[in-house]
C-alpha cells in the first residue's frame, strides 16, 4: 500500500544525482518508521500531491503569504521574547539592548515590526481580493469572515505590540487610544482600568499588553488560520474544476508560493533599510539607521507628553476622521462609525444575496478604501506642512539621541531605567529648568538654543564665570549695560564705579591675570586645559586680587572681610553656584543687599515649600558650568563624584552662622545699619568721639563723623589736615585742586583778609549745614556771600547766586537736603561730576525704582543722621 | 481506469520532469531564502551570549599593606567592581573575595575564597590555623594546599597574582576559576 502511494507521489520525479536512489531508500525507510507509529503520512502525501483544482493562480498565494508571514512573526517573536522584559523600567531598556547590543538585533526587531505591518496589509488585500473575485458568498462566507477576523487580530497584534517598546511615541499614542475607551458610557472608566491595569499606564499595562500579544492574539491568529484553511479547502474540494490546468500543489503551486514569500521578505527588507536610504536616524551603530527606530523612553510626566504622537499608517484615516469631530462627539468617529462599518463588513455575504448585492458591496468597499486613503493622505500632508509637528518630531529625535548617548557612557543604564538618565542629564534638564525659573530675569544666550527675556533684569548667564564673561563684566562699557548690571539695583553701585574708575586703569596684563585667576576658581571643565597651561598667570592674578585690593570688599580665601560683597573663594564653582541659587541673601553672597533674585531652597527642612528641589538646583549648577557628559569629553568622573545637592545645601546652611540681631527702629540705629550695609564704612570712617565709632579698615574718603560741623570744616581747611587720613589723604583728591588751594593760596588769603573773616566763612558754611535745605538766595546776607568771593571760593564753587559750577555746590552745603541729593548722585554736575571716583549713586532714577540702591526714605534717614541740621536732633 | 500507452506517457513524462525539477528548485530555493532571513537572524540573536566574555582579570587595588596582620594571618577582603547585567550597569558591587596574607617584607599572597570543589566560600579557622570549607569539610593550609589525604577538592585553592605597588598598595589580578576540575582553568 505504501509503495503504491510512494510511486504516485514520485510519479514525475527525476533522479537528481547518482546518490538519488540511496537517498530515496533512506527516505523511504524513515517515512515507513513514522507512518507505522503515527499513520499521518498518507494524508500528508495526499495533501502535497493533490491536484490544484482551480488551477494555479492567485487565490492560494494570499493565504500562503499570510501563513509565511505569521511563521516569520512566530520565529522572530520567540527570539525577541527571550530578550524582552515587560516592566516600565526594563521594557525600553531591553529593546535598546536588542537594537544596539545583540548581534543582528536590529534586523530581528526590524523584521518583526515590518512583517507585522505587511501582515496587516496582506490580510486586508486578501479580504479585498475575496470581494472582488466574488469568493465570499455561499459556502465561502466563513472563509471571508475568518479572513476579516484575521485582519482584526493582526491589527490587534500591531496595537499591543507597539506599546511594548515603551518609547515616547508608542506610549503616547497607546495612552490616547486606550483613553478612548473612556468615551463609552457607563463602562468606559472601568474598561480603561482593566486594559491599562490600573488608573494610569505603568508596569501592569505592559504585562497585560504582552500577555495579550503573545498569549491570546498570536494563538488566536493561528487558530483562525487553521479554521480558514479547513473552510477554504472544503470549498475548493467541492468546487473542483476538472478542466483546470493539471498542476499539483507540490511542487508547482508551492513554487509560486515560495516566490510570494520571497517578495514579502524583499518588501520587509526595503522597509528595514528605508532610513539608511534617506539618512534618517543618524548615528554610527547599525541600530541607528537600520530597522525600526527607537524613541526616547516613555515619560509618565504629563508635562512631557510627546506632542508628535501619531497612530500607525493603518489607523491614520480613522485618526484624521476623528479630528474632524469636536471633543464631545468623539465617540462617533471612534466607536459609532467604525462599529457601523464593521457590521457592514460582516454582513457583506448576506448583502450579496440581494439583487445587485455584489455590486453594492463593490461600491461600498471602493468608497471605504478611497475614503481611508484620502483621509490618510490629508493627515500626512498636514503633518508634513505643520511647523509645530516637525519641531516636536525634531525635539523627540534630539531626546532619543541624547538618551542613547548617555546609555553608552561609562555609567551605563542604572537600575532606575533610561528615563532616570534623561532626568539627571544637565544638558537636557538645564534649559527646561532655566526656562521655568531663571529666564524670567536672566538671558542665556547660547548658540545652541538661547533662553531670552524681553527685559533682562539680571546678568547674562551664558558662559558665567568663564574668561570671556568676566572680561565683559570688567569692561567699563559693558558692566553697566543690560548684559550685566545695567537693569539691576547695582547699576550705579560700588562694583560698577570701581570697574569704571579703578579697574579700567590697571595694566592690560594685570587685568587679564585677575580675570584668569577668578575664572580658575570655577574650575570649569571646558577651561581645564587652559587653566592648567596658564598656571603662572593665575598665580599672579591671585596675588593681584589681594594687592589691588579686591579683598577690601570681597573675601578671597584667607583675605578680606565677609559680608560686604559676594565671596570670591571658589567663585563660579559648582558649590558656589548651588549656594547662590539656594539663597542669594546668604551672608556669603549678596546678603541683605540682594536685588530681586529669589531664594530657591529657603527651607532645607521643609522641601515642599521650596521653589526648586535640591536635585534641580544641582542640575542648574551643572548646566551653567557646561558640566555634562559628552561622548568625546574625558571628565565623566567629575560628575560622578558630585556631592549630593542636599548635602551642599546643608553646608551652606551651617555657614550662615547666627542671624544678626535686629536693628532698632530709631533713626540713628537705622542709619548706622545702612552706613555699614551699603558699603559707606568701607571707604568712609565715622569717628564721632562718643565711643561708638564705625571704623574703616582702609579709608579712602573723608571721615564723616561730625561732617560739616565747624570743627570738621576747620580741619578740612587746615593745610596740615586736608591731605591727611581724616580728609582727602587716602583719596585721589589728595593731590587735587582743593588740597592744593588749601595748602597754598588759602593761607595767603587768610593772611591778607584776616583770621576773623576766615572764621566767619567757616561759621557761614556750618550754618548752611544746620539748615534742613538750601535757603532762599535772598535770605542770605550779602556780606556772607562776599566772604565766599573774597576767599575765591566762587572761582570754582557755586554759592547761591554767585560763582560757577565745576566743583561741588556750596549752596546749602551739609544740609539734610544737600546730603540727600549728594548721596543720590555724586556724579551730578552739581557735585563731583566726572571727577567722582568710586562713590556709588544711591538713587539715580525716579521712574525705575528697582535700579536704585536706596529708597527715598532710606536716603533721608542717612542724610538726617549725617547732617548737623537741627531737625535731626 | 486503463493505463495510458507507453508512448503517450513518455513525452509528457520528460516535459513534466523538467518542469517538476524547475518547480522543485524554485520552491526550495525561494522558500529557503525567504525563511532563511528570520531563521538566521533568530539564530544569531539566540547565540548572542556566546559573544560575551567575562572580563579577563585586571589588576585591582584591594587593600593597603598596613591593614593586613603582620603575622601572616589571612584576611578575607571583598572585591568590588562595576557589574553589567544585560542593559544595566551596577557600579561598585561585590563580585567576589580573596584571602590576603603577608608572607614577608613587602610580599603578599592572594587566594580566591571559592572552593574548587563545588564553589562554596572557604573560611579561616584561627584555632587550627588553616582554611576550611564548611560544605564538604575540605581543609587547606594557609598557602592553599590541600591538607587531607583524600580531599573533596580536586585541586589546591586557586592562587591569584598579587603584588605590592607604591610601597603600601596591594594589587591583585582577580579571577574566578572553574570548579570541579583538577586543572586550574579560568572561567570563560
Amino acid at each position: 500500500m505504501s509503495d503504491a502511494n510512494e510511486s504516485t507521489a514520485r510519479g514525475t520525479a527525476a533522479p537528481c544525482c547518482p546518490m538519488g536512489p540511496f537517498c530515496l531508500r533512506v527516505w523511504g525507510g524513515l517515512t515507513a518508521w513514522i507512518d507505522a507509529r503515527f499513520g499521518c503520512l498518507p494524508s500528508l502525501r495526499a495533501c502535497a500531491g493533490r491536484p490544484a483544482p482551480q488551477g494555479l493562480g492567485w487565490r492560494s498565494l494570499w493565504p500562503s503569504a499570510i501563513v509565511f508571514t505569521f511563521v516569520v512573526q512566530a520565529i522572530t517573536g520567540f527570539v525577541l521574547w527571550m530578550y524582552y522584559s515587560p516592566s516600565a523600567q526594563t521594557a525600553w531598556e531591553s529593546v535598546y539592548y536588542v537594537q544596539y547590543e545583540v548581534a543582528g538585533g536590529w534586523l530581528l526587531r526590524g523584521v518583526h515590526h515590518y512583517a507585522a505591518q505587511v501582515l496587516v496589509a496582506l490580510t486586508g488585500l486578501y479580504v479585498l481580493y475575496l470581494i472582488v473575485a466574488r469568493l465570499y458568498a455561499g459556502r465561502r462566507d466563513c472563509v471571508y469572515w475568518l479572513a476579516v477576523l484575521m485582519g482584526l487580530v493582526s491589527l490587534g497584534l500591531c496595537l499591543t505590540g507597539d506599546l511594548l517598546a515603551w518609547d515616547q511615541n508608542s506610549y503616547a499614542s497607546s495612552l490616547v487610544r486606550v483613553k478612548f475607551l473612556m468615551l463609552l458610557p457607563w463602562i468606559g472608566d472601568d474598561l480603561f482600568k482593566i486594559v491599562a491595569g490600573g488608573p494610569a499606564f505603568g508596569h501592569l499595562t505592559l504585562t497585560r499588553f504582552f500577555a495579550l500579544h503573545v498569549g491570546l492574539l498570536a494563538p488566536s491568529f493561528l487558530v483562525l488560520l487553521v479554521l480558514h484553511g479547513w473552510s477554504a479547502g472544503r470549498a475548493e474540494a467541492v468546487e473542483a474544476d476538472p478542466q483546470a490546468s493539471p498542476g499539483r500543489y507540490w511542487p508547482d503551486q508551492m513554487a509560486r508560493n515560495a516566490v510570494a514569500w520571497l517578495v514579502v521578505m524583499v518588501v520587509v527588507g526595503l522597509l528595514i533599510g528605508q532610513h539608511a536610504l534617506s539618512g534618517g536616524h543618524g548615528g554610527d551603530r547599525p541600530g541607528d539607521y537600520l530597522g525600526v527606530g527607537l524613541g526616547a523612553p516613555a515619560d509618565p510626566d504629563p508635562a512631557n507628553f510627546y506632542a508628535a504622537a501619531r497612530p500607525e499608517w493603518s489607523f491614520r484615516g480613522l485618526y484624521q476622521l476623528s479630528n474632524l469631530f469636536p471633543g464631545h462627539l468623539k465617540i462617533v468617529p471612534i466607536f459609532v462609525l467604525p462599529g457601523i462599518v464593521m457590521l457592514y463588513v460582516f454582513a457583506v455575504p448576506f448583502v450579496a444575496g440581494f439583487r445587485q448585492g455584489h455590486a453594492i458591496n463593490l461600491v461600498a468597499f471602493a468608497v471605504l478604501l478611497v475614503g481611508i486613503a484620502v483621509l490618510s493622505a490629508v493627515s500626512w500632508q498636514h503633518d508634513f506642512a505643520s511647523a509645530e509637528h516637525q519641531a516636536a518630531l525634531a525635539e523627540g529625535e534630539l531626546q532619543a539621541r541624547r538618551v542613547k548617548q548617555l546609555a553608552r557612557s561609562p555609567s551605563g543604564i542604572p537600575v532606575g531605567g533610561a528615563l532616570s538618565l534623561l532626568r539627571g542629564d544637565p544638558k537636557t534638564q538645564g534649559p527646561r529648568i532655566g526656562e521655568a525659573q531663571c529666564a524670567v530675569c536672566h538671558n542665556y544666550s547660547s548658540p545652541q538654543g538661547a533662553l531670552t527675556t524681553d527685559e533682562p533684569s539680571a546678568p547674562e548667564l551664558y558662559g558665567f564665570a568663564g574668561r570671556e564673561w568676566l572680561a565683559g563684566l570688567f569692561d567699563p562699557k559693558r558692566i553697566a549695560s543690560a548684559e550685566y548690571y545695567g537693569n539691576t539695583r547695582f547699576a550705579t553701585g560700588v562694583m560698577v564705579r570701581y570697574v569704571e574708575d579703578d579697574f579700567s586703569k590697571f595694566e592690560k596684563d594685570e587685568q587679564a591675570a585677575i580675570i584668569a585667576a577668578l575664572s580658575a576658581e570655577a574650575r570649569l571643565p571646558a577651561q581645564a586645559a587652559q587653566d592648567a597651561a596658564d598656571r603662572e598667570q593665575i598665580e599672579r592674578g591671585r596675588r593681584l586680587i589681594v594687592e589691588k585690593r579686591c579683598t577690601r570688599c570681597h573675601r578671597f580665601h584667607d583675605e578680606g572681610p565677609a559680608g560686604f560683597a559676594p565671596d570670591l573663594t571658589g567663585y563660579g564653582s559648582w558649590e558656589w553656584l548651588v549656594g547662590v541659587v539656594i539663597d542669594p541673601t546668604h551672608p556669603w553672597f549678596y546678603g541683605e543687599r540682594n536685588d530681586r533674585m529669589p531664594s530657591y531652597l529657603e527651607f532645607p527642612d521643609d522641601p515642599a515649600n521650596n521653589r526648586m528641589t535640591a536635585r534641580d538646583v544641582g542640575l542648574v549648577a551643572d548646566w551653567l558650568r557646561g558640566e555634562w557628559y559628552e561622548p568625546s569629553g574625558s571628565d565623566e568622573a567629575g560628575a560622578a563624584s558630585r556631592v549630593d545637592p542636599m548635602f551642599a545645601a546643608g553646608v551652606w546652611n551651617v555657614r550662615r552662622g547666627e542671624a544678626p540681631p535686629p536693628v532698632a527702629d530709631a533713626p540713628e540705629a537705622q542709619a548706622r545699619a545702612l552706613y555699614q550695609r551699603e558699603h559707606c564704612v568701607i571707604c568712609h570712617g565715622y569717628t564721632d568721639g562718643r565711643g561708638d565709632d564705625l571704623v574703616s579698615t582702609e579709608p579712602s574718603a573723608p571721615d564723616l563723623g561730625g561732617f560739616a560741623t565747624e570743627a570738621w570744616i576747620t580741619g578740612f581747611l587746615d593745610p596740615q589736615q586736608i591731605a591727611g587720613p581724616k580728609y582727602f589723604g587716602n583719596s585721589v583728591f589728595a593731590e587735587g585742586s582743593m588740597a592744593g588751594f588749601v595748602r597754598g593760596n588759602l593761607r595767603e588769603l587768610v593772611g591778607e583778609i584776616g583770621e576773623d573773616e576766615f572764621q566767619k566763612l567757616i561759621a557761614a558754611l556750618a550754618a548752611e549745614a544746620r539748615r534742613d535745605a538750601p535757603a532762599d538766595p535772598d535770605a542770605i546776607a550779602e556780606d556772607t556771600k562776599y566772604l565766599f568771593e573774597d576767599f575765591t571760593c566762587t572761582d570754582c564753587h557755586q554759592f547761591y547766586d554767585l560763582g560757577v559750577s565745576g566743583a561741588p555746590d556750596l549752596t546749602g552745603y551739609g544740609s539734610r537736603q544737600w546730603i540727600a541729593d549728594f548721596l543720590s548722585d555724586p556724579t551730578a554736575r552739581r557735585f563731583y561730576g566726572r571727577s567722582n571716583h568710586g562713590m556709588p549713586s544711591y538713587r539715580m532714577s525716579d521712574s525705575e525704582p528697582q535700579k536704585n540702591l536706596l529708597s527715598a526714605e532710606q536716603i533721608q534717614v542717612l542724610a538726617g543722621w549725617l547732617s548737623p541740621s537741627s531737625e535731626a536732633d | 481506469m486503463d493505463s495510458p500507452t507507453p508512448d503517450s506517457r513518455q513525452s509528457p513524462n520528460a516535459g513534466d520532469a523538467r518542469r517538476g525539477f524547475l518547480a522543485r528548485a524554485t520552491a526550495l530555493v525561494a522558500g529557503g531564502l525567504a525563511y532563511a532571513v528570520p531563521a538566521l537572524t533568530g539564530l544569531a540573536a539566540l547565540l548572542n551570549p556566546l559573544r560575551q566574555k567575562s572580563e579577563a582579570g585586571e589588576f585591582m587595588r584591594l587593600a593597603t599593606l598596613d591593614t593586613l596582620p603582620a603575622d601572616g594571618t589571612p584576611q578575607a577582603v571583598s572585591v568590588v567592581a562595576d557589574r553589567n547585567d544585560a542593559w544595566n550597569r551596577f557600579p561598585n558591587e561585590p563580585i567576589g573575595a580573596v584571602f590576603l596574607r603577608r608572607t614577608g617584607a613587602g610580599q603578599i599572597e592572594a587566594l580566591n575564597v571559592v572552593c574548587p570543589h563545588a564553589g562554596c566560600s572557604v573560611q579561616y579557622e584561627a584555632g587550627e590555623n588553616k582554611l576550611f570549607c564548611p560544605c564538604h569539610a575540605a581543609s587547606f593550609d594557609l598557602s592553599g594546599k590541600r591538607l587531607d589525604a583524600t580531599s573533596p577538592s580536586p585541586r589546591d585553592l586557586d592562587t591569584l597574582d598579587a603584588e605590592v605597588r607604591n610601597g603600601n598598595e596591594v594589587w591583585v589580578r582577580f579571577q574566578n576559576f572553574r570548579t570541579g576540575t583538577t586543572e586550574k582553568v579560568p572561567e570563560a
Side-chain angles (χ1 to χ4, degrees):
Chain A
M1 190 64 177
S2 53
D3 280 350
N5 282 348
E6 272 174 25
S7 58
T8 322
R10 290 200 318 271
T12 54
C16 45
C17 68
M19 291 288 288
F22 173 73
C23 282
L24 289 173
R25 217 170 29 246
V26 168
W27 182 249
L30 184 62
T31 50
W33 188 91
I34 295 175
D35 193 40
R37 285 151 184 76
F38 293 97
C40 59
L41 282 182
S43 39
L44 278 178
R45 263 198 224 102
C47 226
R50 74 178 190 274
Q54 301 300 339
L56 307 171
W58 292 103
R59 76 184 65 190
S60 179
L61 284 183
W62 294 110
S64 174
I66 291 174
V67 169
F68 167 73
T69 316
F70 178 77
V71 173
V72 167
Q73 289 300 79
I75 296 174
T76 52
F78 177 72
V79 181
L80 281 172
W81 194 354
M82 288 205 154
Y83 282 100
Y84 181 67
S85 177
S87 92
Q89 265 78 52
T90 56
W92 187 94
E93 290 71 11
S94 58
V95 172
Y96 167 84
Y97 186 74
V98 167
Q99 180 82 2
Y100 290 96
E101 307 282 347
V102 173
W106 57 268
L107 185 59
L108 187 72
R109 182 170 170 247
V111 168
H112 196 77
H113 178 95
Y114 288 114
Q117 315 303 315
V118 165
L119 191 61
V120 169
L122 279 176
T123 49
L125 288 170
Y126 180 49
V127 168
L128 281 176
Y129 165 72
L130 289 177
I131 296 283
V132 167
R134 211 166 181 166
L135 293 169
Y136 61 90
R139 67 168 52 81
R140 282 183 175 271
D141 53 8
C142 266
V143 174
Y144 168 77
W145 282 327
L146 287 165
V148 170
L149 281 174
M150 278 198 286
L152 290 177
V153 170
S154 68
L155 278 176
L157 282 166
C158 277
L159 287 180
T160 49
D162 201 31
L163 180 66
L164 298 181
W166 204 244
D167 70 353
Q168 277 184 325
N169 187 51
S170 57
Y171 175 88
S173 51
S174 297
L175 186 59
V176 167
R177 275 194 286 255
V178 177
K179 274 195 175 162
F180 284 146
L181 289 173
M182 293 191 189
L183 292 169
L184 296 169
W186 307 309
I187 56 169
D189 288 348
D190 290 342
L191 213 51
F192 174 85
K193 278 194 202 155
I194 292 174
V195 173
F201 265 34
H203 291 312
L204 296 179
T205 322
L206 275 169
T207 49
R208 290 199 166 205
F209 272 50
F210 191 53
L212 281 172
H213 188 86
V214 175
L216 186 66
L217 291 171
S220 303
F221 196 91
L222 183 60
V223 167
L224 289 171
L225 263 180
V226 168
L227 290 173
H228 171 272
W230 274 348
S231 182
R234 171 89 179 128
E236 279 197 17
V238 166
E239 295 165 11
D241 177 8
Q243 306 302 328
S245 122
R248 296 188 178 283
Y249 202 84
W250 168 262
D252 306 298
Q253 181 63 36
M254 192 60 88
R256 283 162 179 75
N257 289 350
V259 170
W261 303 345
L262 207 52
V263 168
V264 166
M265 282 320 294
V266 165
V267 169
V268 170
L270 284 173
L271 287 169
I272 286 176
Q274 65 181 301
H275 296 288
L277 297 171
S278 67
H281 290 233
D284 50 347
R285 297 185 284 182
D288 283 319
Y289 51 88
L290 288 170
V292 196
L294 183 66
D299 189 350
D301 178 9
N304 220 10
F305 193 82
Y306 185 56
R310 291 289 182 269
E312 296 148 8
W313 62 274
S314 40
F315 283 95
R316 272 287 189 159
L318 193 59
Y319 165 75
Q320 183 60 22
L321 181 70
S322 75
N323 283 348
L324 301 173
F325 286 74
H328 59 280
L329 289 178
K330 276 281 195 270
I331 194 174
V332 171
I334 302 296
F335 288 105
V336 176
L337 288 178
I340 294 174
V341 167
M342 282 322 298
L343 273 177
Y344 179 80
V345 165
F346 275 103
V348 149
F350 300 121
V351 173
F354 297 114
R355 203 165 32 149
Q356 302 303 330
H358 179 64
I360 297 173
N361 286 333
L362 280 175
V363 167
F365 268 86
V367 165
L368 194 62
L369 263 181
V370 168
I372 290 176
V374 165
L375 286 169
S376 304
V378 167
S379 179
W380 271 311
Q381 169 57 26
H382 177 259
D383 281 344
F384 188 72
S386 158
E388 294 88 16
H389 184 77
Q390 297 300 324
L393 276 175
E395 167 75 26
E397 176 71 16
L398 215 63
Q399 285 206 1
R401 273 191 225 176
R402 181 62 183 165
V403 75
K404 289 165 196 168
Q405 247 182 11
L406 292 169
R408 268 175 105 177
S409 74
S411 60
I413 300 179
V415 152
L419 187 62
S420 67
L421 280 177
L422 272 181
R423 288 209 177 133
D425 177 30
K427 188 177 182 184
T428 314
Q429 299 302 322
R432 188 186 61 84
I433 304 171
E435 191 166 18
Q437 304 284 356
C438 319
V440 185
C441 304
H442 293 273
N443 278 348
Y444 183 81
S445 307
S446 157
Q448 273 84 39
L451 301 171
T452 53
T453 172
D454 293 329
E455 269 292 311
S457 57
E460 167 72 54
L461 286 180
Y462 181 65
F464 175 77
R467 291 192 194 184
E468 267 187 53
W469 189 92
L470 282 169
L473 180 75
F474 284 111
D475 182 344
K477 295 197 235 356
R478 287 168 70 184
I479 185 173
S481 72
E483 199 186 344
Y484 291 95
Y485 285 131
N487 288 336
T488 71
R489 118 180 236 271
F490 309 115
T492 56
V494 174
M495 182 68 187
V496 171
R497 290 284 149 89
Y498 172 78
V499 168
E500 288 169 348
D501 298 332
D502 285 288
F503 190 89
S504 53
K505 300 195 173 51
F506 296 167
E507 298 293 330
K508 287 279 177 259
D509 59 310
E510 288 176 328
Q511 294 186 16
I514 291 177
I515 287 172
L518 259 182
S519 187
E521 291 289 307
R523 288 197 304 277
L524 295 171
Q527 218 170 260
Q530 207 181 4
D531 285 346
D534 292 338
R535 208 166 332 166
E536 278 187 31
Q537 184 192 35
I538 289 168
E539 277 305 309
R540 181 172 177 231
R542 297 180 70 159
R543 286 193 300 273
L544 283 170
I545 287 175
V546 177
E547 283 168 20
K548 295 288 188 183
R549 309 313 302 135
C550 307
T551 47
R552 211 169 153 209
C553 303
H554 295 274
R555 184 156 70 192
F556 184 69
H557 295 281
D558 298 326
E559 301 277 339
F564 280 127
D567 194 320
L568 294 178
T569 317
Y571 175 79
S573 65
W574 182 84
E575 196 190 30
W576 192 96
L577 274 172
V578 166
V580 77
V581 168
I582 283 177
D583 187 11
T585 68
H586 192 286
W588 284 35
F589 298 108
Y590 285 101
E592 288 175 315
R593 304 181 63 243
N594 183 47
D595 192 351
R596 282 153 286 167
M597 177 161 169
S599 303
Y600 285 97
L601 201 109
E602 258 184 286
F603 311 106
D605 298 328
D606 191 6
N609 262 333
N610 293 320
R611 287 169 180 256
M612 278 167 72
T613 61
R615 181 182 203 206
D616 280 357
V617 172
L619 284 170
V620 165
D622 281 324
W623 169 61
L624 288 175
R625 290 164 48 75
E627 197 151 22
W628 56 70
Y629 170 77
E630 284 292 346
S632 52
S634 57
D635 183 28
E636 214 278 319
S641 60
R642 170 78 66 244
V643 168
D644 187 311
M646 206 59 203
F647 180 78
V651 170
W652 282 110
N653 211 27
V654 166
R655 286 176 179 159
R656 198 186 298 274
E658 285 186 22
V663 181
D665 275 340
E668 184 176 328
Q670 297 283 330
R672 289 173 68 95
L674 282 171
Y675 195 85
Q676 291 171 90
R677 200 188 88 184
E678 289 302 332
H679 300 154
C680 313
V681 73
I682 293 179
C683 302
H684 297 272
Y686 189 94
T687 316
D688 66 356
R690 286 190 293 175
D692 47 0
D693 305 334
L694 295 166
V695 176
S696 165
T697 47
E698 290 178 48
S700 63
D703 189 299
L704 294 180
F707 174 73
T709 54
E710 285 208 32
W712 195 93
I713 298 173
T714 309
F716 184 70
L717 296 175
D718 177 353
Q720 307 285 1
Q721 291 188 59
I722 186 170
K726 185 167 172 186
Y727 298 103
F728 281 149
N730 294 323
S731 76
V732 298
F733 305 117
E735 305 295 320
S737 329
M738 184 67 187
F741 170 74
V742 168
R743 285 199 294 235
N745 287 2
L746 184 60
R747 279 295 99 203
E748 290 175 23
L749 284 167
V750 171
E752 280 174 26
I753 304 174
E755 187 68 34
D756 291 342
E757 297 299 297
F758 187 51
Q759 291 304 323
K760 279 189 204 162
L761 178 72
I762 293 177
L765 275 171
E768 289 297 301
R770 283 194 292 276
R771 294 187 210 285
D772 191 58
D776 197 23
D778 299 328
I780 311 293
E782 291 297 311
D783 289 343
T784 312
K785 289 187 192 170
Y786 290 144
L787 270 174
F788 287 83
E789 254 188 11
D790 294 339
F791 282 97
T792 70
C793 309
T794 48
D795 284 0
C796 300
H797 297 273
Q798 186 142 17
F799 187 74
Y800 289 97
D801 40 358
L802 297 182
V804 298
S805 63
D809 187 6
L810 295 178
T811 314
Y813 173 82
S815 64
R816 180 211 288 258
Q817 193 56 50
W818 187 95
I819 295 183
D821 291 342
F822 187 92
L823 286 175
S824 298
D825 188 12
T827 66
R829 263 189 102 211
R830 194 179 144 205
F831 300 111
Y832 277 100
R834 287 214 287 269
S835 307
N836 183 55
H837 188 99
M839 176 157 171
S841 303
Y842 285 95
R843 194 184 147 73
M844 269 185 91
S845 170
D846 272 331
S847 57
E848 291 179 284
Q850 69 270 17
K851 290 192 189 173
N852 295 328
L853 280 164
L854 291 174
S855 67
E857 295 77 26
Q858 286 172 319
I859 297 249
Q860 289 301 325
V861 163
L862 265 175
W865 177 64
L866 286 170
S867 169
S869 64
S870 45
E871 279 72 16
D873 289 345
Chain B
M1 183 179 324
D2 293 339
S3 50
T5 60
D7 281 335
S8 63
R9 270 185 70 151
Q10 284 307 332
S11 32
N13 239 0
D16 281 344
R18 270 198 302 280
R19 275 197 302 278
F21 174 71
L22 197 59
R24 274 192 179 78
T26 311
L28 287 173
V29 169
L33 274 176
Y35 271 113
V37 172
L40 292 177
T41 316
L43 196 65
L46 261 180
L47 299 179
N48 188 65
L50 295 176
R51 281 171 64 220
Q52 289 167 351
K53 299 181 272 285
S54 64
E55 287 167 14
E58 295 209 356
F59 271 98
M60 310 170 159
R61 193 180 71 174
L62 291 190
T64 47
L65 206 55
D66 42 18
T67 60
L68 299 171
D71 59 1
T73 312
Q75 176 104 330
V77 172
S78 186
V79 178
V80 161
D82 291 350
R83 180 173 70 91
N84 274 356
D85 181 1
W87 52 84
N88 279 137
R89 187 162 303 153
F90 300 97
N92 295 337
E93 286 210 341
I95 57 167
V98 298
F99 278 113
L100 291 176
R101 183 169 76 95
R102 294 177 77 157
T103 51
Q107 302 290 323
I108 200 89
E109 256 188 28
L111 295 169
N112 199 325
V113 306
V114 172
C115 180
H117 176 227
C120 295
S121 270
V122 170
Q123 294 156 9
Y124 171 63
E125 295 257 315
E128 298 179 43
N129 208 34
K130 69 173 184 186
L131 298 166
F132 179 72
C133 182
C135 291
H136 305 97
S139 296
F140 306 89
D141 71 6
L142 294 190
S143 61
K145 298 212 181 357
R146 288 163 287 177
L147 287 175
D148 318 310
T150 55
S151 177
S153 173
R155 62 177 189 271
D156 300 334
L157 283 180
D158 299 319
T159 52
L160 300 168
D161 298 335
E163 55 191 40
V164 176
R165 296 187 187 171
N166 301 330
N168 198 26
E169 298 170 8
V170 177
W171 289 69
V172 174
R173 189 201 301 278
F174 180 75
Q175 267 184 307
N176 281 319
F177 299 90
R178 277 202 219 151
T179 53
T181 56
T182 47
E183 283 118 37
K184 181 178 151 188
V185 180
E187 266 181 359

